[in-house]
């Protein structure tokens, strides 16, 4: 299993803080994102190809080509606005 | 020497700077940046702001930025303090303070740390205005500021 977290406007729009996914068949973060998009409804809007979504793997910012394995913590969020 | 803190309580930037420079007479200069909450954004009055973050990743990211600054410049200590939760206009949101022997390194390291904090550290601002609440959009100018450092 992998843990998937959502933050800020993504969390609010999805009305979901986190979920778990079977790691099998999830080659990289791009595939995870595609699976989320396939859930339909608001999920397909939030993860539409024209949306700017940032991602992290095990608490490090990365890109869609980052490989995913069992036990990983994945996060999706909008561009950051701290400081 | 290098302290990183995320907290919901308000902080006093002057006290943080005093602690940074205390007990080290080798320090010749301290440069600090204090980010404050503004009461107007994009033409609308903002009454309160709530900051969300990604616990764990935030601390890791800030540590990596401070480590990189220490690789690039000869520093004698630094402090990064960032608030989360609800705050009101004029509250300090963030402090980056850097100490070094001479001013040049402290100025550069301080700007480097705040530039990368802005584009890499997982914080998100939500403003409350008379029209309701809204998430603050990221600024392109922050990406440009980061790009200058050519990591």
């Amino acid at each position: 299993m992998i843990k998937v977290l959502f933050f800020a406007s993504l969390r609010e729009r999805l009305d979901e803080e986190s979920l778990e996914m079977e790691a099998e068949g999830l080659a990289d973060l791009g595939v995870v994102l595609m699976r989320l998009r396939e859930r339909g409804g608001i999920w397909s809007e939030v993860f539409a190809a024209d949306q700017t979504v940032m991602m992290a793997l095990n608490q490090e910012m990365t890109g869609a080509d980052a490989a995913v394995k069992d036990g990983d913590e994945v996060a999706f969020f909008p561009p950051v606005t701290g400081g | 020497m290098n302290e990183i803190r995320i907290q919901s309580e308000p902080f006093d930037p002057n006290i943080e700077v005093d602690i940074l420079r205390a007990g080290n007479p080798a320090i010749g200069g301290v440069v600090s940046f204090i980010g404050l909450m503004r009461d107007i954004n994009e033409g609308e009055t903002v009454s309160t702001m709530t900051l969300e973050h990604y616990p764990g990743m935030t601390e890791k990211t800030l540590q990596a930025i401070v480590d990189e600054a220490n690789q690039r410049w000869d520093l004698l200590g630094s402090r990064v303090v960032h608030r989360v939760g609800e705050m009101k206009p004029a509250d300090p949101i963030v402090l980056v303070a850097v100490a070094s022997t001479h001013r040049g390194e402290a100025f550069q390291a301080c700007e480097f740390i705040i530039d990368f904090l802005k584009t890499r550290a997982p914080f998100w601002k939500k403003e409350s205005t008379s029209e309701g609440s809204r998430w603050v959009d990221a600024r392109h100018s922050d990406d440009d500021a980061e790009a200058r450092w050519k990591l």
Side-chain angles (χ1 to χ4, degrees):
Chain A
M1 298 290 262
I2 63 161
K3 192 171 187 189
V4 187
L5 308 174
F6 308 104
F7 289 95
S9 55
L10 260 67
R11 172 179 52 73
E12 279 191 354
R13 291 175 67 198
L14 299 169
D15 196 23
E16 193 86 75
E17 268 180 35
S18 69
L19 54 81
E20 293 201 324
M21 286 169 88
E22 203 59 64
E24 210 179 308
L26 301 175
D28 57 29
L29 277 177
V31 177
V32 177
L33 190 144
M34 216 145 60
R35 290 284 167 78
L36 294 170
R37 185 187 297 155
E38 285 163 7
R39 295 177 132 221
I42 186 69
W43 295 83
S44 55
E45 284 177 36
V46 166
F47 294 105
D50 63 347
Q51 295 293 302
T52 307
V53 174
M54 300 182 87
M55 50 196 103
L57 178 64
N58 297 324
Q59 307 192 343
E60 259 181 62
M61 199 104 79
T62 185
D65 58 352
V68 175
K69 62 178 191 316
D70 197 38
D72 280 347
E73 178 178 300
V74 168
F76 294 97
F77 43 82
V80 300
T81 55
Chain B
M1 283 277 270
N2 293 297
E3 168 142 329
I4 291 165
R5 238 165 54 229
I6 314 295
Q7 62 183 52
S8 50
E9 306 76 33
F11 64 90
D12 182 338
N14 296 317
I15 292 174
E16 301 295 334
V17 170
D18 284 349
I19 296 169
L20 173 62
R21 64 193 182 84
N24 188 354
I27 294 173
V30 171
V31 172
S32 66
F33 170 80
I34 305 161
L36 305 166
M37 186 191 150
R38 280 178 291 129
D39 68 349
I40 290 188
N41 194 23
E42 303 193 351
E44 275 190 75
T45 303
V46 182
S47 51
T48 59
M49 192 166 75
T50 307
L51 257 137
E52 178 175 330
H53 77 125
Y54 181 175
M57 180 174 165
T58 314
E59 291 83 352
K60 269 195 198 176
T61 306
L62 294 176
Q63 188 62 56
I65 296 168
V66 169
D67 287 349
E68 176 68 24
N70 275 282
Q71 295 275 318
R72 288 186 174 218
W73 297 283
D74 256 331
L75 307 177
L76 294 172
S78 68
R79 285 177 97 76
V80 178
V81 184
H82 205 298
R83 276 188 73 191
V84 291
E86 193 176 298
M87 53 206 78
K88 53 187 195 311
D91 276 1
I93 302 169
V94 61
L95 166 84
V96 176
V98 178
S100 62
T101 311
H102 301 290
R103 71 183 184 285
E105 307 220 79
F107 268 115
Q108 289 194 47
C110 183
E111 195 169 21
F112 175 89
I113 292 170
I114 189 63
D115 281 353
F116 277 85
L117 182 154
K118 285 252 173 198
T119 52
R120 304 280 177 101
F123 293 101
W124 300 275
K125 288 175 182 150
K126 192 180 193 182
E127 299 172 334
S128 292
T129 72
S130 53
E131 304 290 305
S133 60
R134 62 183 183 195
W135 290 98
V136 173
D137 285 329
R139 289 169 187 270
H140 288 301
S141 58
D142 288 334
D143 292 331
D144 298 342
E146 186 211 274
R148 289 178 307 148
W149 298 102
K150 295 192 190 358
L151 251 200

